[in-house]
Amino acid sequence: MAALTLMRLAGLSGAALPLAAATLFVGAALAKSPKLPETVPVPVLNQSQPAQKDAPADVPLPEPRPADAPKPDQPATNEPSQKSGQHKDPRPEPSANAPRPTEKPTEAEPEAQPPPIAPQPPEKPAEAQEEKMLPDPRSADLPEGKMPDEELACRRRLKSMGVDFEEHKPEHNPEIGCSIPYPIMLKTLGKSIAIGPQTELNCEMAEAAARFAADVIQPAAKAEFGADLKSISQASAFVCRPRNGTRKLSEHAFGNALDISSFTLSDGKKIEIGPAPPEKDGKFLNAVRKAACGPFKTVLGPGADADHALHFHLDLEPRRHHGTFCQ
Ligand SMILES: [Zn+2]
């Protein structure tokens, strides 16, 4: 085909065909051999980009190359992009996911901090140990075969003041530490001053209460209200318990404290201890409370703390240098 075409183009006749065809065929063959490689380079370009088989070779070339550039900058995100393919859509997704894994570990760090707080539990057993009562030498006091002279003398003084009382069996609680070797049960604080209900105290405290009632409360009632003190209502006398909120035994645990909640006068008037008493009652109560500091070593009442909002606490707690604590 190529030889005939060349001969026709050259205008050669059929007579000269054999020689001409032979020479032209050789020449054409020689001429074609260098032309063939010129058309070949096209597939060579396609082989440089084998991944883009579907798309035409010329169009997609510039686009994927700039997109491929960020990949080496984000080595961690290359894996999901390669799995999903080389299309443009999956590429922004790994970049958006990239900050998320960094945020999660930062959130996990504060969550991992709470464990250091764990050391607190050992503190709780330490507090539980503090609940154990502090030792008090009076806890070991036990009655002897014969009542001591000081106890006998105390009872003689009570009788001389007109106090009516009964002996009570000894109090002794080794577990808590409460103890009264020679307790008495008061029926009155004097010839005309009753006290109730059942008021169990040690004799020294009973005597202090009786003297205070006769020497301070009775005159104060007479001066403020023009009436006599008829009775005293007590909220606590002997109670086997620790002091509230502490590991120390209360003076009540030794019959050494008395809580007074109200006074009743001969005209029937009742004066109750509280945070906001009537003016006249408050004046009387303040006078009694102030005078109690001294005869009693501890005086507490409304304003001291929540536990003493409704009564006067009076006790004979032994303190160094005969100190007092009055609030
Ligand atoms: Zn008390």
Side-chain angles (χ1 to χ4, degrees), residues 74-92:
Q74 297 175 351
T77 58
N78 285 339
E79 292 180 355
S81 65
Q82 291 175 352
K83 290 177 181 177
S84 62
Q86 293 180 350
H87 298 287
K88 293 179 181 179
D89 293 341
R91 290 172 185 172

Side-chain angles (χ1 to χ4, degrees), residues 5 32 54 61 74 106 126 134 147-148 152-153 200 236 260 287 315:
T5 302
K32 286 181 181 178
D54 297 338
L61 289 176
Q74 297 175 351
T106 56
L134 288 172
M147 186 177 287
L152 292 171
E200 182 180 5
S236 295
I260 297 174
D315 73 43

Side-chain angles (χ1 to χ4, degrees), residues 236 241 250 252 257-259 308 311-314:
S236 295
R241 65 169 174 80
S250 167
H252 289 283
L258 179 66
D259 291 347
H308 299 91
H311 68 260
F312 287 160
H313 168 97
L314 314 174

Side-chain angles (χ1 to χ4, degrees), residues 238-251:
F238 168 72
V239 180
C240 189
R241 65 169 174 80
R243 186 176 298 182
N244 286 345
T246 72
R247 51 191 289 208
K248 184 177 181 182
L249 277 168
S250 167
E251 290 300 301

Side-chain angles (χ1 to χ4, degrees), residues 113-294:
Q113 290 177 351
I117 304 175
Q120 288 182 347
E123 294 178 356
K124 293 181 178 178
E127 293 176 355
Q129 293 176 353
E130 292 180 356
E131 293 177 357
K132 190 176 182 179
M133 288 299 101
L134 288 172
D136 190 303
R138 293 174 292 177
S139 297
D141 290 346
L142 290 172
E144 301 172 358
K146 180 184 177 183
M147 186 177 287
D149 290 343
E150 59 185 14
E151 291 286 339
L152 292 171
C154 176
R155 283 155 175 77
R156 286 195 294 270
R157 292 191 296 270
L158 286 178
K159 291 178 181 177
S160 68
M161 288 187 287
V163 174
D164 190 7
F165 63 92
E166 293 180 350
E167 298 292 338
H168 195 275
K169 66 180 177 58
E171 301 288 353
H172 188 65
N173 185 318
E175 294 180 357
I176 299 176
C178 309
S179 179
I180 311 178
Y182 308 102
I184 63 173
M185 190 69 75
L186 285 174
K187 294 182 177 179
T188 70
L189 281 176
K191 292 179 180 178
S192 60
I193 304 173
I195 187 169
Q198 297 286 313
T199 306
E200 182 180 5
L201 295 170
N202 66 46
C203 191
E204 183 183 8
M205 182 64 196
E207 181 182 1
R211 290 196 182 280
F212 186 69
D215 296 347
V216 174
I217 303 173
Q218 163 62 18
K222 196 74 173 180
E224 191 66 35
F225 302 104
D228 293 321
L229 175 65
K230 183 179 181 181
S231 66
I232 293 175
S233 294
Q234 59 93 1
S236 295
F238 168 72
V239 180
C240 189
R241 65 169 174 80
R243 186 176 298 182
N244 286 345
T246 72
R247 51 191 289 208
K248 184 177 181 182
L249 277 168
S250 167
E251 290 300 301
H252 289 283
F254 305 103
N256 208 35
L258 179 66
D259 291 347
I260 297 174
S261 57
S262 68
F263 305 91
T264 301
L265 306 184
S266 56
D267 61 359
K269 178 177 176 60
K270 186 175 183 180
I271 304 158
E272 293 183 320
I273 296 167
E279 183 178 359
K280 203 172 182 67
D281 294 13
K283 188 177 179 182
F284 164 79
L285 292 172
N286 287 336
V288 170
R289 184 174 179 174
K290 184 177 180 181
C293 190

